[in-house]
Amino acid sequence: MDPIVDEVARAIERVDVEALRRTYVEQDEFVYIERWLPPALVARLVADVDRVRPAIHRNYIPRHKKGGSVSAYTLVAQAPAIVALYRSPAFLEFLARLTGARLQRCPATDPHACALYFYTEPGDHIGFHYDTSYYRSARYTVLVGLVERSSSRLVCQLHRGLPGRTPVEVSLRTDPGTFILFNGDRLWHAITPLGAGEERVSLTLEFVTDPRMTPLKRFVSNMKDSIAYFGFRSVFGERARRPAALPR
Ligand SMILES: [Fe+2]
């Protein structure tokens, strides 16, 4: 068995899944475990991070986001540990139990299926947003902290928009190995600006219950990914048309 798959399975054994599931529900489909993944596993993920640094695509949308991204297409080719985590059957089952949903990995055509986000220059950030699903179903985001040498915080507003509920703000450091899971249509969240001389790198893994997307929404999603994340060449280029098989 791949050591990553083995280590993930052992990390899951240490979790009280039912208790975590209750917290997930109480927090309106949001939960986290600080420094959950063991250092040896994180070290292999960070080795992938360093390998793909030449492929970082920087983007800047005034008043909304600034930072760097590496798409699933590059990770499939160059980041074996990250892909092993994404493809781990035990991990998928763990997430399905926490969410209570029949989760699947995103299609290989989705550059966001697994992706790295680099905050490396002063002011790198992303403003408040939902991880809106363009699929026919909800989309669930897993965020894993990999490099955390920053004053940036993941700021989340739980229960936003729920009648009769006052939003609760949570501010988190995403230390290496920290695991965060949420329903992208429900969690209003942001990353606060990076300070000088700081660095923050996080991994996101996306899951859906229905992987279908209308052609129009696929186009809109690809345009958004090109402009805001990975660049037109990555999203619409040769590799995107023939990506390596991602979900298995
Ligand atoms: Fe997000």
Side-chain angles (χ1 to χ4, degrees), residues 64 88 96 111 121 144 180 191 201 209:
H64 179 57
S88 159
E121 297 181 9
V144 178
I180 297 157
I191 303 287
V201 184
T209 51

Side-chain angles (χ1 to χ4, degrees), residues 107-119:
T109 48
D110 187 342
H112 266 293
C114 55
L116 285 168
Y117 300 99
F118 290 79
Y119 300 76

Side-chain angles (χ1 to χ4, degrees), residues 165-245:
R165 293 294 298 259
T166 306
V168 173
E169 191 156 294
V170 177
S171 177
L172 291 175
R173 271 176 67 93
T174 50
D175 284 312
T178 294
F179 161 88
I180 297 157
L181 167 67
F182 58 90
N183 179 336
D185 287 320
R186 300 214 56 81
L187 189 73
W188 184 243
H189 61 283
I191 303 287
T192 62
L194 197 79
E198 298 181 344
E199 184 178 38
R200 176 182 182 280
V201 184
S202 62
L203 168 68
T204 61
L205 309 172
E206 302 286 354
F207 299 86
V208 290
T209 51
D210 184 343
R212 289 175 298 171
M213 194 183 284
T214 64
L216 178 62
K217 285 197 172 176
R218 170 52 68 199
F219 178 74
V220 171
S221 178
N222 281 342
M223 289 298 287
K224 185 179 167 203
D225 285 344
S226 299
I227 294 163
Y229 291 95
F230 308 118
F232 283 92
R233 197 158 23 143
S234 179
V235 173
F236 289 103
E238 182 66 19
R239 252 186 320 182
R241 286 195 294 273
R242 293 189 292 102

Side-chain angles (χ1 to χ4, degrees), residues 126 129-131 182 189 229:
I126 182 162
H129 65 282
Y130 292 104
D131 287 1
F182 58 90
H189 61 283
Y229 291 95

